[in-house]
Amino acid sequence: MLFLKLLKESFLFAGDALRQNKTRTFLSLLGVTIGIFTIIAVQSAVDTLRNNLQHSVDKLGNNSIYVQKWPWVGGSDFPWWKYLQRPESDLRDFNELSRRITTAEALSYEINIDNRTIKYKSNTVEGAQVDAASHDHDKTWNFDFESGRYFTEIESKTGAPIANIGYDIAQNLFPDGDAIGKQIKVMGRYVTIVGVFSKQGKDMLGISTDKEVLLPLNFARNLIDIQSSKYGPAIIVRGKKGIPTDDVESEIKGLMRSIRRLRPGVEDNFSLNRTTMITKQLDDLFGIVNKGGFIIGLFSVLVGGFGIANIMFVSVKERTNIIGIQKSLGAKNYFILLQFLIESVLLCLFGGFIGLFFVYLATFAVKAAADIQVILDAANVIRGLSYSVIIGVIAGIIPAYSASRLDPVEAIRTN
């Protein structure tokens, strides 16, 4: 009951402070509002970016390893001249690796051919990405079909003139929605569409099947040199379930050194790339952004905290007479202290709620402007309100303590 009485009186006094000193209170709360907005907005932005990154990584396969010429990441001292001399991953590497490896669930050999213009009658799609892959591509990548199917094993082996196409390509070339069985011309040859990928949309890494035309590797090898470096050949290995990716990578490394006859002590002439390399680098970047946003927001919150402390000191001075009366009627020191401390916390919480409200509005603005779903989870909301409470306690503790130590006789005499 005592706590409820304290809370009620604190609400009344806090409301009184807001009404009587609107400009002063507004300017003080502004710092808290901006601070909480900055901290939570940055954390929500980082969570959103991380979620989009994870979505991209899921497409690549978080337990897949890419055997390639170039590493995915590098620093300022990136020795590009050394990597330039490496051989590309070729069909011999792929066939030998497929024959020897024991920890892999699937392997695929893939190339990125070119951006082409795809036509069907009077309809055209610019910038379609033409790719070719061996049969297990559907096991090393994650994708779904809107309609149709993937290549059969016989179609892949014989190099049948067929294709899977992206959702956007199907929508533009076949507005009636009936793409399966139609023929489009790719690289000077007619191919029959057997499948349409589901809509994926844009992601952080730019990975999407929406404008892709996927051909069987053995069909493409009749048209181009599928081992040429200009097509960026890669061998993708997905490990078996239950086997740690580190173990799969270790076996691949040993086998590739054996296949390429590298002597002990000689440096690898291939790169083993994993999605964790990307996520680690971006997590480091996100950590820096988070810290930067927190520091900027903290300064704003501290400025607001000083403003709240100023309000509380003024409030103590204005209510000195009332404090004296309360103490003369038997109010304990802790009662006076809690009264002002709760008032300070409530003022800061009010600023925190305003900041969170603006973050909430910002999520709708970003969704409308860029079609990005911003993540504002409960943890960020609780974190923001916790910061408000902490600042409220810090800002109010000294004024509240000074109020609780007032002499009742001297306080009553104060006008």
Side-chain angles (χ1 to χ4, degrees):
M1 291 298 292
L2 179 62
F3 176 77
L4 291 176
K5 183 180 178 182
L6 275 171
L7 195 63
K8 178 183 176 182
E9 288 191 7
S10 299
F11 266 114
L12 292 173
F13 284 129
D16 222 29
L18 287 172
R19 286 192 302 272
Q20 292 180 10
N21 307 285
K22 295 183 178 65
T23 304
R24 184 182 68 190
T25 305
F26 170 75
L27 292 174
S28 300
L29 291 182
L30 190 61
V32 177
T33 299
I34 293 173
I36 297 301
F37 174 83
T38 302
I39 293 172
I40 304 308
V42 170
Q43 290 174 342
S44 296
V46 169
D47 288 346
T48 301
L49 291 173
R50 187 178 282 113
N51 183 68
N52 288 339
L53 172 64
Q54 189 59 52
H55 183 61
S56 303
V57 167
D58 290 342
K59 293 179 190 176
L60 291 171
N62 52 17
N63 61 338
S64 293
I65 298 171
Y66 292 69
V67 185
Q68 295 172 295
K69 175 178 179 177
W70 296 89
W72 284 353
V73 297
S76 57
D77 57 345
F78 186 75
W80 58 269
W81 58 90
K82 180 173 65 177
Y83 299 130
L84 188 64
Q85 298 174 17
R86 288 179 172 182
E88 294 283 357
S89 298
D90 56 21
L91 288 173
R92 177 180 174 277
D93 295 335
F94 172 68
N95 292 328
E96 286 295 315
L97 203 57
S98 300
R99 185 173 64 85
R100 301 186 195 184
I101 198 165
T102 60
T103 57
E105 179 182 328
L107 293 87
S108 64
Y109 184 90
E110 307 184 3
I111 57 174
N112 301 316
I113 298 174
D114 204 355
N115 287 334
R116 300 290 178 98
T117 298
I118 307 297
K119 295 183 178 180
Y120 179 78
K121 296 182 178 178
S122 60
N123 299 324
T124 302
V125 174
E126 302 283 347
Q129 175 61 49
V130 180
D131 300 323
S134 58
H135 184 64
D136 281 350
H137 172 77
D138 64 329
K139 297 175 183 175
T140 56
W141 282 71
N142 297 324
F143 52 80
D144 297 311
F145 284 96
E146 179 75 16
S147 59
R149 58 175 177 82
Y150 186 63
F151 315 139
T152 65
E153 189 170 357
I154 293 176
E155 288 170 337
S156 293
K157 286 182 176 179
T158 59
I162 56 175
N164 291 149
I165 64 171
Y167 183 87
D168 288 352
I169 294 177
Q171 290 294 304
N172 285 284
L173 294 185
F174 311 101
D176 59 356
D178 187 18
I180 306 301
K182 299 292 195 309
Q183 287 191 327
I184 57 175
K185 199 170 187 179
V186 180
M187 301 168 62
R189 296 279 295 273
Y190 283 101
V191 296
T192 302
I193 300 168
V194 296
V196 177
F197 295 120
S198 298
K199 177 73 173 177
Q200 288 191 339
K202 298 177 182 178
D203 63 28
M204 191 173 173
L205 299 179
I207 299 168
S208 178
T209 61
D210 291 345
K211 296 190 74 173
E212 181 183 21
V213 176
L214 180 67
L215 305 171
L217 186 69
N218 285 334
F219 172 77
R221 75 189 304 169
N222 296 321
L223 306 176
I224 59 172
D225 177 10
I226 59 174
Q227 300 183 95
S228 172
S229 60
K230 68 180 181 179
Y231 301 126
I235 299 169
I236 304 176
V237 183
R238 172 165 286 188
K240 291 179 180 177
K241 292 181 179 178
I243 297 180
T245 309
D246 288 341
D247 292 349
V248 180
E249 182 178 0
S250 180
E251 185 184 21
I252 294 171
K253 182 175 182 178
L255 290 175
M256 285 299 296
R257 289 186 63 86
S258 174
I259 291 167
R260 294 191 173 179
R261 297 185 174 87
L262 299 177
R263 295 189 305 274
V266 176
E267 189 177 359
D268 295 341
N269 61 356
F270 55 88
S271 294
L272 301 181
N273 296 314
R274 295 164 58 176
T275 53
T276 51
M277 297 165 63
I278 301 174
T279 54
K280 184 179 182 306
Q281 276 213 332
L282 289 175
D283 277 341
D284 292 342
L285 176 62
F286 292 155
I288 294 171
V289 173
N290 247 339
K291 289 176 183 176
F294 178 80
I295 291 170
I296 294 170
L298 184 62
F299 276 112
S300 298
V301 171
L302 287 175
V303 171
F306 284 121
I308 298 294
N310 178 58
I311 289 178
M312 297 311 300
F313 275 118
V314 173
S315 185
V316 169
K317 186 171 181 60
E318 289 175 345
R319 285 155 42 194
T320 300
N321 187 265
I322 297 174
I323 295 169
I325 294 172
Q326 287 179 326
K327 297 192 77 173
S328 67
L329 293 174
K332 302 294 185 183
N333 287 351
Y334 72 85
F335 180 89
I336 304 299
L337 185 142
L338 286 176
Q339 180 178 290
F340 284 93
L341 198 58
I342 292 173
E343 182 179 339
S344 173
V345 170
L346 288 175
L347 286 170
C348 281
L349 273 175
F350 187 68
F353 276 117
I354 296 173
L356 286 170
F357 176 71
F358 282 125
V359 173
Y360 187 68
L361 290 181
T363 62
F364 287 101
V366 172
K367 174 68 176 175
D371 195 26
I372 297 175
Q373 187 64 48
V374 179
I375 297 174
L376 179 59
D377 58 21
N380 283 337
V381 173
I382 293 171
R383 194 176 294 119
L385 296 179
S386 299
Y387 294 151
S388 298
V389 171
I390 292 169
I391 293 298
V393 171
I394 294 172
I397 189 66
I398 296 176
Y401 181 77
S402 66
S404 70
R405 305 302 297 178
L406 287 174
D407 181 83
V409 176
E410 295 295 327
I412 291 172
R413 289 176 180 173
T414 303
N415 291 326

